[in-house]
Amino acid sequence: MIKDRKLQRSEFIKFTGGLAFLLLGSKWLFADPTSAADLVSTAQKRQSYTLGLLKKLVTDIGPKPSGSKAYAKAARIVFQEMRRSMAKVNYDKYEFDNWEPIKWTNLLVGGQAIEAVPQKRGFGTSPQGINGIIAKRGTGFAILNEQNGDVLAYFSVNQYGKAIAGSGPGDLDKSVPVFGIGKQDIPLLDRSALNKLPAGISAEYHPLHKAPGINVIGQIPGKSKKEILVIAHLDTIFNTPGANDNTASVIVMLMLAHAASGRQNNHTLTFVASDSEEYVYEGAYHYAKGRIANNTIEDIRYVLNFDSLTYGPNLWINSKDQGVKDLIRDIHRDLKLQTTPIYSENDGFVMDSLPFRPSGAKALHANSRGYDEKTLPVYHRPDDTADKVPLDCVEIAFQVFDEFIRRIDKE
Ligand SMILES: [Zn+2]
């Protein structure tokens, strides 16, 4: 107990010391809704805000997988950005067991090298790697033990383009190493499988116990405790800077917060930059569990989950709520937007919004399509870089959801 108290005291000193520094150093760190709203008040200003943050969060930081120092740095930047417009900004922290590939080889088939990317949180191989013969299996390929036909490694195919991190089929033994390959290599692998060519690959994983998970939560109090919650994941997978998935959507969310902070809102607005989405939504689950524990989950009346809003100008709206879809349609008409939203019957409670189902809120999950040739091939690839973000899609998403929040706030 005594030890705890000491700790609290030193934490307190650290905190107040930090506060003094902030007072001297960075005036803008204190919420200033008028200037924050002004920062995003025109399309031109929004574009320069977006470019500035894409540089900081994507170009300068690179991949920011959950649990990494790079992620923590990005979370600090988002915290500071939220502080521009919100007095109430918090880190919501948790710990999790993490393991990620740190190095791996190409897939070698009959002497030919084929790009392969290991699975996030998958299994590595021995240092000698895995050797056997290549075969077709399910929708992908496998390296088989030549004697007994056992699957030694599995290869999933990225239908959008080049190799991305692998994902194993459900029926696979969980300890089998999994890799992803690109669709351009299918013909070569088909021929190799027919000829039962020898194949080999290796991957090394790094375990990290008690890795830090960090959500960043900002809130704009409204007249009522009834709440609109917006969530966008800030983490990327290990091999991509994640400009389109999902940093640009986080930037859209920040701009919505700045814009809303300049208004008097009926609803309380909560903005969540979530961690660990690229795993099993641990960040969103952690935050939602906290809201269940303190009995505030039912305050949430709307959940808006933004994931990859910039694959094209046509927003892809998933919701079971017809009113939500009608509203998106009305907004496109009223703002005279020339884009064609895609409406899906899929549940709005999916991925990062899934943990908020107990709220009973109306839910919307938004993705996008339209520049598929340019944007989808970079999905989960090292070249999902800042220059790949179509800025018109950032602007369209901002306009639609700014109006959406204004209108549902009147309900
Ligand atoms: Zn994503």
Side-chain angles (χ1 to χ4, degrees):
M1 283 307 279
I2 291 170
K3 204 174 164 212
D4 276 351
R5 255 210 328 262
K6 262 192 194 151
L7 194 76
Q8 278 171 10
R9 187 160 174 270
S10 69
E11 289 287 303
F12 179 69
I13 290 167
K14 222 160 63 189
F15 173 71
T16 48
L19 203 63
F21 170 74
L22 295 183
L23 275 167
L24 292 169
S26 327
K27 182 171 158 278
W28 62 266
L29 274 175
F30 289 86
D32 180 356
T34 317
S35 64
D38 182 61
L39 197 65
V40 297
S41 60
T42 68
Q44 204 177 0
K45 287 179 183 178
R46 290 191 284 273
Q47 187 173 119
S48 48
Y49 182 80
T50 300
L51 288 171
L53 270 186
L54 282 174
K55 181 177 185 307
K56 283 192 197 173
L57 291 170
V58 177
T59 312
D60 295 351
I61 290 185
K64 40 184 186 292
S66 190
S68 67
K69 287 202 171 72
Y71 179 87
K73 197 170 166 187
R76 272 198 301 278
I77 292 169
V78 168
F79 185 99
Q80 288 175 349
E81 288 304 317
M82 285 188 177
R83 284 291 268 150
R84 286 179 187 272
S85 52
M86 293 180 267
K88 227 173 132 185
V89 184
N90 294 298
Y91 287 128
D92 175 50
K93 296 188 178 182
Y94 55 98
E95 284 180 337
F96 64 104
D97 277 344
N98 192 25
W99 65 100
E100 286 200 323
I102 47 169
K103 63 180 195 208
W104 58 93
T105 64
N106 286 320
L107 165 63
L108 275 178
V109 179
Q112 285 243 42
I114 290 173
E115 187 189 12
V117 183
Q119 188 177 25
K120 41 186 190 179
R121 292 196 181 176
F123 287 87
T125 68
S126 69
Q128 301 79 19
I130 273 167
N131 294 287
I133 54 164
I134 195 80
K136 272 182 90 78
R137 190 182 186 280
T139 55
F141 295 87
I143 295 177
L144 304 181
N145 178 318
E146 205 175 349
Q147 273 79 50
N148 60 18
D150 282 354
V151 175
L152 302 176
Y154 180 79
F155 299 86
S156 59
V157 180
N158 178 18
Q159 295 300 342
Y160 294 125
K162 293 180 184 170
I164 58 169
S167 59
D171 63 334
L172 197 69
D173 182 314
K174 289 283 178 279
S175 63
V176 170
V178 172
F179 299 83
I181 55 161
K183 67 173 178 184
Q184 76 285 353
D185 290 321
I186 295 176
L188 173 65
L189 286 170
D190 276 340
R191 285 197 302 278
S192 307
L194 274 175
N195 295 316
K196 298 185 175 166
L197 292 184
I201 195 163
S202 76
E204 192 182 315
Y205 278 72
H206 176 64
L208 190 59
H209 298 296
K210 299 202 168 172
I214 313 168
N215 300 314
V216 192
I217 321 285
Q219 206 163 57
I220 303 173
K223 286 182 196 150
S224 149
K225 64 176 188 171
K226 279 190 306 179
E227 190 176 328
I228 298 165
L229 182 137
V230 185
I231 185 165
H233 76 87
L234 179 62
D235 66 314
T236 69
I237 78 162
F238 57 89
N239 67 335
T240 174
N244 285 290
D245 180 18
N246 189 39
T247 316
S249 307
V250 172
I251 296 171
V252 169
M253 179 179 77
L254 289 170
M255 295 198 296
L256 291 171
H258 297 336
S261 73
R263 306 191 289 262
Q264 218 3 297
N265 301 290
N266 294 317
H267 289 69
T268 293
L269 306 181
T270 303
F271 299 89
V272 181
S274 57
D275 195 356
S276 306
E277 189 275 347
E278 296 289 5
Y279 297 102
V280 279
Y281 328 121
E282 279 143 318
Y285 268 105
H286 185 267
Y287 178 66
K289 272 183 198 155
R291 298 292 306 263
I292 291 167
N294 67 19
N295 277 320
T296 60
I297 189 99
E298 287 177 8
D299 293 345
I300 304 170
R301 303 322 308 136
Y302 276 91
V303 178
L304 315 181
N305 179 9
F306 297 161
D307 199 342
S308 308
L309 297 176
T310 51
Y311 285 149
N314 306 320
L315 290 170
W316 176 10
I317 305 297
N318 299 276
S319 181
K320 293 258 184 226
D321 190 278
Q322 191 53 44
V324 161
K325 285 187 264 192
D326 290 345
L327 187 50
I328 292 282
R329 198 171 280 128
D330 292 351
I331 288 168
H332 277 76
R333 185 197 57 215
D334 298 347
L335 299 185
K336 299 190 169 59
L337 296 172
Q338 302 299 311
T339 63
T340 316
I342 304 153
Y343 299 99
S344 149
E345 287 306 312
N346 295 338
D347 203 340
F349 286 116
V350 64
M351 299 187 255
D352 260 7
S353 44
L354 182 58
F356 298 92
R357 193 192 292 281
S359 64
K362 293 178 181 176
L364 172 160
H365 170 87
N367 198 301
S368 62
R369 285 295 183 268
Y371 297 152
D372 303 14
E373 299 281 299
K374 176 186 174 181
T375 51
L376 295 186
V378 304
Y379 166 73
H380 282 189
R381 295 275 306 171
D383 49 347
D384 187 8
T385 45
D387 58 303
K388 301 292 187 340
V389 175
L391 294 171
D392 59 328
C393 303
V394 173
E395 178 61 16
I396 288 161
F398 172 84
Q399 285 191 25
V400 170
F401 287 109
D402 184 57
E403 187 62 24
F404 190 88
I405 291 170
R406 287 169 191 264
R407 293 193 189 184
I408 59 177
D409 186 52
K410 297 205 183 86
E411 287 176 7

